[in-house]
Amino acid sequence: MSRTHPDASPRTASEIDAATPADRDRWVDTLRVGSLLVVVLGHWLMVSITPDGQITNALAVVPALQPLTWLLQVMPLFFLVGGVAHAHTLESLERRRPEPRGRYAAFFRARATRLLRPTLAFLAVWVALGVVADLSGLTSRPGDAGRLARDALVMVPQLLWFVGIYLGACAFAPLMRDLHRRWGLVVVVVLVLLACVVDVVRFGGGPELVGNLNFALVWLALHQLGFAWRDGLLTTARGWAMALLGFGAMGLAVAFGPYPTSMVGLSGQAVSNMAPPTAALLAQGIGICGLAVVLRPVMARVLARPRVWRSVFLAGPFAMTAFLWHLTALMTVLLALRAVGVVQPSVASWQWWLTRPLLFAVLAVVTGLLVAVFVGFDRGPRPAADAVPEPRGWVDPVAAVSAGVLFFGILIVSIVGVDVLGNRPVFFLVGDVTPVVGFVVLAAGLLLLGATRPRAPRT
């Protein structure tokens, strides 16, 4: 799965279709764009502000909506297509760099840069908003306005959990690709079994902390399916088996196990299927990935139509930027409506359903404006993984360390928020941390990653 950028001049559907390599998996590109679009629409549907100024979730207000997450939780698809993309990139890198020294650093540096450039632009804006809110006294103001400002500075950056976890998958990709080459789908089976063992220990009276192992096991299992997809191991028959077994196991886990109905996290729940991920979420992920496998032949024929493929091709370069900024658009619109006295209808009422299309249209315009401003950070110069031999033997281990530091830095920021002047502590793993700590860890990871850059050639 490679990300492409349309030329500066308009291109017709026929031209784009003719320029697309015959071996390109168009369904993979569509899954990537489509999964992020579903996340955006899902957040727009779920998040609202109550009349008393509370940020709430429609799924928590109306539990009958929670089964929708069985199909709307599409992050497993993104990790699936991420595995496909990483397999392609690693194969290409091996051809260009026969010498293994420096290959890992080149791979991780390239992937991390593409993720972090737009992410850092997003964080810079939200840190600035937090500083303005603190200096103006908004965050310390009693009442709804102050609470909403404080909540927004924590709630909106929460979407960065995905960036952190996906960056972790990137860091493990070379190792997991090697394991796949040797053991194939056995690796997926082992990861699934280990994730189940973690839940047995966690819910059987063991330490809660052990559940955090599933942040790696669950998402790496789904990412590993991408390697199998790339190598043609996920046949239609296996796709049906994945869908039936995955959704069947999820249904049993929800009905008879300690797992909630919702496959997305909801505040106030004693158990979340997302933080940390559970075996129920893994089963749902395998099920929805199985559906993607089953639909692959049909969608390949649909995407062979030039006009259909053109829409996916042109949307691809904007998907990540839209994901980063869609909650900013949502909070901007909801707060603006509140400021002018427009009260949101009760969640799941007929008025609420009727006004969703209009709200979505407004949000799409605001998000489009934000994307137009910030998409340049996602389109910046790509770090080259050239074939020049790497004389520095230490770059690979340093890159691996930087991956771990960046992982924790982004996760801390996603949990504690960006209010660096307020610097309110929030619990993370084993103790309280503050936004400043998160940004210090993130900066350390960036410095380590920067140390692995290729040296400029001497003249």
Side-chain angles (χ1 to χ4, degrees):
M1 178 192 66
S2 59
R3 291 165 59 183
T4 56
H5 298 265
D7 294 342
S9 58
R11 298 179 65 180
T12 66
S14 298
E15 290 173 336
I16 292 174
D17 181 66
T20 302
D23 61 346
R24 179 164 181 166
D25 194 331
R26 301 183 183 191
W27 182 221
V28 168
D29 289 89
T30 306
L31 287 172
R32 174 185 173 272
V33 174
S35 61
L36 290 182
L37 177 61
V38 170
V39 171
V40 169
L41 295 178
H43 285 165
W44 287 353
L45 182 67
M46 291 186 299
V47 179
S48 62
I49 298 178
T50 62
D52 61 350
Q54 298 279 356
I55 298 177
T56 188
N57 191 315
L59 298 176
V61 177
V62 185
L65 295 176
Q66 293 181 16
L68 291 175
T69 63
W70 298 351
L71 290 177
L72 295 181
Q73 173 53 277
V74 292
M75 277 304 176
L77 293 176
F78 199 93
F79 282 86
L80 168 76
V81 299
V84 180
H86 292 156
H88 173 80
T89 302
L90 288 167
E91 291 165 9
S92 176
L93 189 58
E94 287 168 0
R95 289 193 298 268
R96 298 196 307 271
R97 297 183 70 112
E99 169 61 44
R101 177 184 292 178
R103 189 188 295 160
Y104 178 86
F107 169 80
F108 181 73
R109 186 172 58 246
R111 305 305 292 185
T113 301
R114 290 175 63 173
L115 277 173
L116 293 176
R117 187 188 295 114
T119 299
L120 293 176
F122 169 84
L123 284 174
V125 171
W126 270 93
V127 168
L129 290 174
V131 169
V132 171
D134 279 314
L135 294 180
S136 66
L138 178 59
T139 54
S140 58
R141 189 179 303 173
D144 295 351
R147 183 175 62 250
L148 280 172
R150 294 190 298 271
D151 289 348
L153 292 172
V154 175
M155 188 272 287
V156 174
Q158 282 178 354
L159 57 80
L160 296 183
W161 75 265
F162 160 73
V163 176
I165 297 296
Y166 191 75
L167 196 66
C170 294
F172 277 100
L175 170 63
M176 302 310 293
R177 174 64 172 163
D178 289 342
L179 292 176
H180 169 77
R181 283 175 165 171
R182 183 170 184 179
W183 300 105
L185 288 172
V186 172
V187 181
V188 178
V189 174
V190 170
L191 290 171
V192 170
L193 292 175
L194 288 175
C196 293
V197 170
V198 166
D199 271 14
V200 169
V201 174
R202 174 189 174 192
F203 295 114
E208 280 288 322
L209 196 62
V210 75
N212 291 299
L213 291 173
N214 273 351
F215 277 114
L217 296 172
V218 168
W219 296 116
L220 284 178
L222 297 166
H223 181 269
Q224 200 75 8
L225 289 174
F227 297 150
W229 179 299
R230 170 74 177 172
D231 290 348
L233 297 179
L234 300 186
T235 62
T236 301
R238 284 177 174 169
W240 279 116
M242 289 167 59
L244 294 174
L245 292 175
F247 283 119
M250 179 206 68
L252 292 173
V254 169
F256 301 105
Y259 305 102
T261 302
S262 174
M263 291 297 132
V264 301
L266 300 176
S267 60
Q269 282 187 323
V271 176
S272 167
N273 279 318
M274 283 289 291
T278 63
L281 177 67
L282 177 55
Q284 183 270 342
I286 291 173
I288 202 166
C289 289
L291 289 181
V293 174
V294 170
L295 291 173
R296 187 180 184 184
V298 175
M299 293 307 302
R301 292 191 293 270
V302 172
L303 291 164
R305 301 171 184 172
R307 290 185 178 180
V308 178
W309 171 236
R310 180 178 183 271
S311 63
V312 176
F313 178 87
L314 295 180
F318 306 99
M320 186 63 184
T321 307
F323 168 78
L324 286 172
W325 292 99
H326 76 280
L327 284 182
T328 303
L330 177 64
M331 292 305 301
T332 300
V333 171
L334 291 181
L335 291 175
L337 291 174
R338 182 177 174 82
V340 299
V342 177
V343 179
Q344 293 292 301
S346 300
V347 173
S349 65
W350 67 267
Q351 298 97 330
W352 186 81
W353 285 110
L354 285 179
T355 55
R356 292 311 90 183
L358 178 59
L359 177 63
F360 282 14
V362 174
L363 291 172
V365 172
V366 177
T367 302
L369 294 174
L370 289 169
V371 169
V373 172
F374 293 102
V375 73
F377 292 97
D378 200 19
R379 290 179 171 183
R382 309 287 170 120
D386 53 56
V388 177
E390 173 59 74
R392 301 168 299 171
W394 49 266
V395 292
D396 287 336
V398 169
V401 173
S402 75
V405 178
L406 287 168
F407 170 81
F408 282 105
I410 293 173
L411 283 189
I412 292 173
V413 171
S414 73
I415 290 172
V416 304
V418 294
D419 188 8
V420 293
L421 293 186
N423 210 31
R424 299 171 184 85
V426 177
F427 182 82
F428 176 74
L429 288 182
V430 295
D432 289 344
V433 292
T434 63
V436 168
V437 171
F439 280 104
V440 168
V441 175
L442 180 57
L446 291 171
L447 289 174
L448 288 170
L449 184 66
T452 69
R453 290 174 182 167
R455 293 175 177 175
R458 294 182 178 180
T459 58

